[in-house]
Amino acid sequence: MFACFITLGVLGQTAVLKGTLRDLDGLPAAGVIVQLKENTAIGTATDDIGQFVITIPSETSVVLIFKGIGAKPIERSFQLKSGEVKVLDLVYDNTASAGVINIRAEREGGMKPIETKLPTKLPTINPGIESYLLQMPVNFASELSSSYSVRGGSFDENLVYVNGIQVYRPFLVRAGEQEGLSFPNPDMVSNIRFSAGGFAARYGDKMSSVLDVQYARPDSSYGSFTVGMLGGSVHYAGISKSKRFTHNTGIRYKDNSYVFNTLDVQGDYQPRYYDIQSYLTWKPNQYSPFELSFLGNYQNNRYRFVPSTRQTDVGTINEALRLTVFFDGKEETRFETFFGALSAKYNPSPSSQLMFTASAFNTYETERFDIQGAYKLDELERDLGSDEFGDVLRNRGVGGFLDHARNELDATVLNFSHRGFVERESHKDIFSWGVDAQHEIVLDELREWSLIDSAGYASPRPPDSIGYTNPAAQPNQLIFLKNRVRANNEVISQRYSAYAQYEKRWVNENGAIWSVNAGTRGNYWSFNDQIVVGPRASMSYTPVWTQYRTTKEGKRDSVRKDMVLTASWGYYWQPPFYREMRNLAGAVNPEIRAQKSIHYIVGANYVFQAWGRPFKLNTELYYKQLRDLIPYEVENVRLRYFATNNSNGYAYGMDVMLNGEFIRDVQSWARFSFLKTEEDLTNDVYYLYLNAAGDTIYNGFTIDNVAVDSIRQIPGFIPRPNDQRISCSVLFQDEMKRKPWYKVLLSFYFSTGVPYGPPSNERYLDVNRTRSYIRADIGFSRDLILERNKGKNWFNRTFDRGYIALEVFNLLGTNNIINHQWVEDVNGRQYGIPTYLTGRRLNLRMSLSF
C-alpha cells in the first residue's frame, strides 16, 4: 500500500501534479506508471530517479493510479484549483505482501525478482518454488524433478539459499519419481530473487546460477491450506501481542501415484513425501536492534515401486519397434533429511548490521532394489494398407536383465558463518563482508550391479568350454556383471571461504545514473589443499536518452527513456562436493580440483508502455569460458561423474524476457533463449577398426568383424549434456472481464533435445539428440471469496481468499522423453528405447486462506 505524505504549493499557472516516488529505504522507484483512471491516455512513468510530472484537469475530482510492474494498481483522489501545482513525496512499502517490487534494485543489481503471489498456484505436478522459474532463463528436463539447468550447466552448478543459508537436495536420486519435495516451501516465502550468471561475491562457489529465497517475517496472523489429488499443504504464521516473537510454519504432503500411473512402466507405485518447516524470530523488545531467528526443517521422501509390465512403441515409418518387458521384484528408496539454523542479528546503527549463523544439515539415504526383467523386441508392420498395420511382424530379439542395489549414504554438513555490512548514506555506498567455516562428513556404501542376458546368453559372453578333452585346460566359466560398483567411502573435510564486496551508486550532472558492484571471493578446501580466489564485478548505467511522442492534443514532447544497461564479469570457482568426487566405479579421486567458469555478460533492461499498460523487456548476451571441467553423463536425473578434471569448454547465448499486462491488470511472462555449449576432453582419442573389405566394423551391423586396420579419431569439441539450443516459456494469466473471479493460468515450456548416447564411459558417443521437450499445463479457477459477499456468513467471515481449480496436466498429450533403456540382440546390436514421461491427467485442487 502507498503511504502518502503530501506537500502543497502553488508554483505556476497550470494544474500539475509532480513529485518523487521512493521505497522504504529512501531509494527512487523507477518505472511506476502514473495515470488518470478516467482517461488512461493521460499518464506518465517515474524516471530512474523516481520523479514524475503529470497535467490533470482542474476544478474537479480526479483519481490517480499508481501501477508498478506486477503490482495491483493503487488509487488516490485529488482535486486541484486552476493554476495549482501540487508537489508529492510518495513513500510505499515494497515488501511482497504489498504486491510492489523494488524495480531499482532488481534492474541494477543483477538479481531478478520472481513473482509467486499469483491469484492461483501454478498448474503443475511439481508444487515447489522451481516451477515459478519459468519466468527466468531456466531449462527443465522433467516435470517430475525439481532440478533445472542454467545456460548449459548442471543442477549441481546452481546455488540455492533460504534466508541466506545454502540448502541441499538428496545425493542418491536417480529418477524424478524418487525425488519428492524440494527444500523451499512456497507458502512461507516473502520474496525470491534469481541470477542466471554474473552474481555478486556474497554468493557462494558455484558456476551457473543463484536462487535466493527469503521466508516471511509476519506482522500479523494468517494462514492457508490447500488440498488436491496430489496431496496438500497447511501453513500458519503469526506474531505475538508484544511484537517480540514471530512464527512461520508450513507442512506439506505429496503423493504422485495418480500421475505415475500414466508412465510406460506399469505397476504399484507408492510414493510418500512429506516435510515440516518452521521459521521463528525473537527480539527482546519491539524496537531492539538485536534479533534471534531459527529455521528448522524435517523431510521424509519415501518411494516404493513394484513393477509389472512395460510396453513402448518407438520408431518411424521406416523402422517401427515395440519393446515389451515383464518385471519381477521391487524398489524401495528413502531420503530423510534434517536441517537447523540459528542466527543472531545485531544492528549497531541504522546503516550497519552484523549477523552470525550456525547451521547443521544431515541426510540419510537408502536405495534398495532387485528388479528382474524379461524382454522381447519386435518389429511392427509398417504397411499402411495392411490389415496388420501396427501389429508385430517379426521378433528382433529376446533377453533379460537383473538390476541389484544396496546403497546407503549418510552425510552431515556443519557450518558457521558471519555476515556484515556498513552503509554510508553520504557517499551512497555499501561495504559488506562475510566468512564461512564448514565441516563435512560423508559416509557412502555402494553395492550395485547389473546382469544382462541376450537370447539365453550372458552379455558379455564368457569363453566357451566346448571341445576341450583336458578339463584342466578349459577356461573358467565366469559371469561378467555390468555396471558393478562396490565401494566404501569416508570423506571428512573442511572448507573455509570469505568475501569482501563494495557497492556504490551516483548520479552525474546530466542525470545519468551509475551503479558499481565489485568484490572478490576466496575458498580453501582441506581435502585437496587447494586455494582459489575469484574477483567479480558488475555495473549498470542509466543513460539520459529521450524519445519523442505526440500528445492527445497533437503536440510533440519528449520523455526520458526508462532503460538500464548492465555488464558483469567474474571468476566463478566450484570446488567439488561429494558427487563430483566419485567416479563411475564408486571410487573417490583424491586429486580432484575445482572447476572454473569466467562469465562475460552484457544486458539491457527497458521499461515501456504499450496500450496504456506497463511492460518490461530484459535482454542479456553472455559468454562463459569453462576450464578444468569434470565431465559427466545424465541418466534420467542422476549425474554420473567421471571424477577427473580432463575437460575444457565454453557456453554462449542470449536470453530475452518480457513481462507485463498483456491483459489489463493481469501479469504474464514470456521468455526466449538461445544456447550453445560444448566441451573438449583431453584424453578421448579412439580408433575406428576396418575389416578386410575396408568397411568400418560396427557390432551387430557388419558381418566380417575381424579388424585388419584402424584409423585414429580425435573427437574435439562435443555438446555438453545440457546443450539445449532453443528454449522458450510462457506463463499467461487471464480473467473474465465481467466476472473476474473466473481465471485461467497457462504455463508452457519448449526446448530442443539434449545429447545422449549408449551407456558407456566414452563421452564422444553422446552425440545423438532426444526429440524436443514440449509441456503445457492449464488451470481454470474460480474465486470462492468475493468482495461483495464478505461478512455475509461464517464462511466469508472466516476466510479472506480462496479458490477451486480444475487443472489439466500435459494439455497437449506430448510423449516427452527423459531417458533411454538400451537393449541388445544376440548379435550385439544395441537399441535405445525411449522412456516417456507422464501423460495427460486432470487434477482438482482447492485452497483457502485466513
Side-chain angles (χ1 to χ4, degrees):
M1 298 287 288
F2 285 101
C4 299
F5 302 89
I6 303 173
T7 305
L8 302 179
V10 179
L11 302 176
Q13 302 301 316
T14 58
V16 173
L17 276 172
K18 60 190 297 187
T20 303
L21 190 64
R22 302 179 183 275
D23 60 23
L24 292 178
D25 297 324
L27 299 173
V32 176
I33 302 299
V34 184
Q35 58 187 187
L36 290 184
K37 182 177 182 180
E38 296 82 0
N39 184 0
T40 56
I42 301 177
T44 185
T46 58
D47 60 21
D48 282 305
I49 57 175
Q51 295 182 352
F52 68 93
V53 178
I54 183 172
T55 302
I56 64 172
S58 60
E59 307 296 343
T60 184
S61 179
V62 297
V63 177
L64 205 62
I65 299 176
F66 297 88
K67 179 72 171 68
I69 296 177
K72 294 182 178 180
I74 306 299
E75 300 181 358
R76 289 290 179 268
S77 298
F78 300 94
Q79 184 169 345
L80 302 185
K81 298 178 181 179
S82 179
E84 182 180 0
V85 175
K86 176 172 282 190
V87 180
L88 309 174
D89 188 10
L90 305 178
V91 180
Y92 69 94
D93 185 352
N94 65 341
T95 59
S97 60
V100 183
I101 61 176
N102 188 338
I103 300 174
R104 185 203 69 82
E106 171 253 318
R107 300 177 72 192
E108 295 182 1
M111 295 293 292
K112 299 175 176 58
I114 296 177
E115 181 58 64
T116 61
K117 307 299 181 181
L118 303 178
T120 63
K121 291 188 176 180
L122 288 177
T124 176
I125 294 173
N126 180 13
I129 288 294
E130 296 77 13
S131 300
Y132 294 90
L133 291 177
L134 279 176
Q135 304 169 30
M136 295 291 129
V138 168
N139 289 335
F140 302 90
S142 169
E143 65 272 11
L144 298 177
S145 173
S146 61
S147 62
Y148 54 90
S149 64
V150 179
R151 294 177 175 173
S154 71
F155 181 77
D156 290 340
E157 298 175 21
N158 303 321
L159 286 163
V160 180
Y161 288 92
V162 175
N163 286 5
I165 305 165
Q166 187 176 350
V167 297
Y168 306 88
R169 75 165 186 169
F171 294 86
L172 295 182
V173 173
R174 69 173 69 210
E177 295 93 316
Q178 304 170 346
E179 191 169 316
L181 296 163
S182 62
F183 188 103
N185 187 334
D187 295 331
M188 301 172 63
V189 166
S190 64
N191 63 78
I192 306 174
R193 300 188 302 160
F194 179 82
S195 173
F199 43 89
R202 66 183 295 259
Y203 294 107
D205 303 293
K206 293 294 181 76
M207 295 193 299
S208 287
S209 74
V210 57
L211 177 65
D212 191 356
V213 179
Q214 290 292 326
Y215 281 173
R217 187 182 185 277
D219 55 9
S220 62
S221 295
Y222 57 90
S224 66
F225 69 86
T226 302
V227 62
M229 299 173 68
L230 303 182
S233 63
V234 178
H235 169 243
Y236 183 66
I239 187 171
S240 64
K241 292 183 179 180
S242 63
K243 309 295 184 182
R244 299 179 355 183
F245 175 77
T246 71
H247 65 90
N248 184 358
T249 303
I251 302 174
R252 295 180 292 173
Y253 174 77
K254 179 181 173 183
D255 180 348
N256 277 353
S257 56
Y258 172 61
V259 295
F260 287 171
N261 289 326
T262 65
L263 298 172
D264 281 352
V265 181
Q266 297 297 300
D268 182 17
Y269 289 93
Q270 297 180 23
R272 303 290 185 270
Y273 321 121
Y274 64 89
D275 81 334
I276 178 170
Q277 296 187 47
S278 190
Y279 175 49
L280 313 174
T281 69
W282 175 84
K283 303 178 75 171
N285 60 69
Q286 184 178 356
Y287 306 103
S288 173
F290 177 79
E291 179 182 272
L292 278 177
S293 64
F294 174 78
L295 175 63
N297 168 266
Y298 171 74
Q299 189 171 105
N300 194 316
N301 294 329
R302 294 189 178 186
Y303 174 75
R304 185 177 187 273
F305 177 44
V306 181
S308 57
T309 61
R310 169 184 177 175
Q311 179 174 299
T312 304
D313 294 344
V314 63
T316 64
I317 194 64
N318 296 319
E319 183 181 47
L321 302 174
R322 172 176 293 167
L323 174 68
T324 305
V325 187
F326 300 93
F327 295 99
D328 187 23
K330 67 178 180 179
E331 173 186 351
E332 292 186 4
T333 59
R334 178 182 176 184
F335 309 129
E336 188 175 24
T337 61
F338 301 85
F339 176 84
L342 180 65
S343 299
K345 183 170 62 177
Y346 176 67
N347 295 84
S349 68
S351 59
S352 62
Q353 184 181 101
L354 302 175
M355 185 173 181
F356 300 87
T357 301
S359 65
F361 166 81
N362 175 260
T363 178
Y364 178 70
E365 306 173 17
T366 62
E367 183 182 42
R368 294 185 170 95
F369 59 78
D370 287 287
I371 304 293
Q372 182 179 1
Y375 68 85
K376 60 177 182 177
L377 184 65
D378 298 316
E379 183 179 343
L380 303 181
E381 175 60 66
R382 306 187 306 275
D383 186 358
L384 296 175
S386 173
D387 293 337
E388 288 78 30
F389 176 74
D391 295 336
V392 174
L393 180 63
R394 64 178 62 90
N395 180 262
R396 286 282 189 92
V398 295
F401 59 86
L402 176 61
D403 294 333
H404 166 90
R406 295 291 186 273
N407 299 328
E408 290 188 12
L409 183 141
D410 191 340
T412 301
V413 178
L414 306 176
N415 180 279
F416 179 79
S417 66
H418 164 60
R419 302 284 185 272
F421 73 84
V422 174
E423 180 178 4
R424 299 186 300 175
E425 179 65 27
S426 59
H427 293 74
K428 302 293 183 183
D429 61 1
I430 301 175
F431 177 72
S432 56
W433 66 90
V435 293
D436 284 80
Q438 185 163 296
H439 182 68
E440 300 167 0
I441 305 172
V442 179
L443 306 176
D444 187 18
E445 183 178 341
L446 293 170
R447 302 287 188 275
E448 66 177 75
W449 49 261
S450 297
L451 174 64
I452 306 296
D453 175 278
S454 179
Y457 294 92
S459 177
R461 180 179 172 180
D464 288 327
S465 62
I466 301 175
Y468 287 88
T469 58
N470 181 8
Q474 294 181 4
N476 294 326
Q477 292 296 291
L478 301 177
I479 296 178
F480 296 96
L481 301 177
K482 296 192 68 174
N483 303 321
R484 181 181 181 274
V485 178
R486 186 178 181 88
N488 285 293
N489 297 325
E490 179 179 344
V491 179
I492 301 176
S493 62
Q494 293 78 40
R495 299 178 195 263
Y496 304 95
S497 62
Y499 74 87
Q501 181 177 298
Y502 178 75
E503 303 171 66
K504 184 173 179 60
R505 186 174 187 269
W506 69 94
V507 181
N508 288 350
E509 293 182 357
N510 64 350
I513 303 173
W514 291 87
S515 177
V516 174
N517 183 315
T520 188
R521 185 178 186 90
N523 182 290
Y524 169 75
W525 187 28
S526 64
F527 182 82
N528 60 6
D529 204 30
Q530 183 182 20
I531 299 175
V532 295
V533 178
R536 306 176 186 180
S538 64
M539 62 168 292
S540 69
Y541 172 63
T542 305
V544 186
W545 293 346
T546 58
Q547 61 183 3
Y548 294 93
R549 65 179 182 180
T550 303
T551 65
K552 189 177 181 180
E553 294 78 15
K555 299 180 180 180
R556 285 178 58 83
D557 63 355
S558 62
V559 294
R560 181 173 179 171
K561 280 188 176 181
D562 191 359
M563 178 176 288
V564 178
L565 305 177
T566 61
S568 58
W569 166 88
Y571 278 70
Y572 295 84
W573 293 89
Q574 182 170 326
F577 205 61
Y578 179 69
R579 293 214 304 178
E580 295 99 311
M581 301 160 55
R582 194 183 74 184
N583 64 21
L584 302 180
V588 172
N589 179 10
E591 303 299 326
I592 198 75
R593 312 296 286 177
Q595 303 177 87
K596 181 174 68 174
S597 176
I598 307 176
H599 293 194
Y600 305 87
I601 304 173
V602 294
N605 188 300
Y606 181 41
V607 174
F608 62 96
Q609 291 190 65
W611 310 295
R613 300 191 291 272
F615 288 86
K616 179 175 62 177
L617 178 65
N618 196 321
T619 302
E620 286 188 342
L621 302 173
Y622 61 89
Y623 178 83
K624 297 199 293 186
Q625 185 178 358
L626 308 174
R627 293 293 181 266
D628 298 324
L629 294 178
I630 304 173
Y632 62 91
E633 293 181 334
V634 179
E635 181 185 284
N636 203 302
V637 299
R638 182 173 69 157
L639 305 183
R640 304 176 70 236
Y641 286 94
F642 292 9
T644 179
N645 301 91
N646 65 332
S647 176
N648 296 313
Y650 65 87
Y652 66 83
M654 175 183 68
D655 298 316
V656 180
M657 293 161 283
L658 176 67
N659 71 286
E661 297 181 10
F662 296 93
I663 305 297
R664 185 174 295 278
D665 297 331
V666 181
Q667 190 80 185
S668 296
W669 293 261
R671 188 265 303 182
F672 171 84
S673 296
F674 167 78
L675 159 72
K676 183 176 182 180
T677 179
E678 293 184 322
E679 63 180 339
D680 182 13
L681 278 68
T682 57
N683 56 350
D684 59 347
V685 174
Y686 68 97
Y687 291 86
L688 291 178
Y689 294 96
L690 309 178
N691 57 24
D695 297 328
T696 303
I697 297 175
Y698 295 104
N699 289 332
F701 292 89
T702 52
I703 298 176
D704 182 6
N705 291 331
V706 178
V708 298
D709 198 2
S710 63
I711 303 175
R712 189 171 187 263
Q713 299 288 309
I714 302 177
F717 281 93
I718 59 175
R720 298 194 73 205
N722 288 301
D723 180 37
Q724 293 172 285
R725 293 295 171 87
I726 303 294
S727 63
C728 62
S729 58
V730 174
L731 195 58
F732 182 80
Q733 300 182 89
D734 197 4
E735 60 186 26
M736 295 183 67
K737 186 174 182 179
R738 296 186 179 181
K739 296 182 179 180
W741 49 90
Y742 289 100
K743 298 178 171 63
V744 63
L745 180 57
L746 171 69
S747 66
F748 173 82
Y749 175 76
F750 165 85
S751 69
T752 54
V754 295
Y756 78 97
S760 67
N761 296 345
E762 291 81 23
R763 272 281 293 120
Y764 62 84
L765 295 177
D766 300 341
V767 292
N768 299 319
R769 291 272 177 175
T770 62
R771 66 187 185 204
S772 298
Y773 181 94
I774 304 174
R775 179 80 183 187
D777 302 306
I778 192 169
F780 304 92
S781 65
R782 185 193 189 279
D783 292 342
L784 299 177
I785 313 296
L786 307 181
E787 287 292 334
R788 66 188 186 190
N789 295 331
K790 283 191 174 181
K792 285 188 177 181
N793 52 47
W794 172 86
F795 183 82
N796 286 277
R797 288 193 299 269
T798 303
F799 299 103
D800 298 325
R801 299 180 307 278
Y803 67 87
I804 186 169
L806 176 65
E807 301 169 338
V808 184
F809 299 143
N810 196 358
L811 176 66
L812 304 178
T814 309
N815 286 329
N816 292 310
I817 298 173
I818 182 59
N819 197 22
H820 288 79
Q821 180 175 349
W822 293 86
V823 298
E824 62 181 38
D825 57 24
V826 69
N827 296 316
R829 181 180 178 183
Q830 291 185 319
Y831 301 84
I833 307 300
T835 300
Y836 295 116
L837 287 164
T838 58
R840 186 184 294 115
R841 271 291 193 255
L842 295 178
N843 182 45
L844 189 65
R845 182 170 62 193
M846 183 181 71
S847 179
L848 292 170
S849 302
F850 54 89

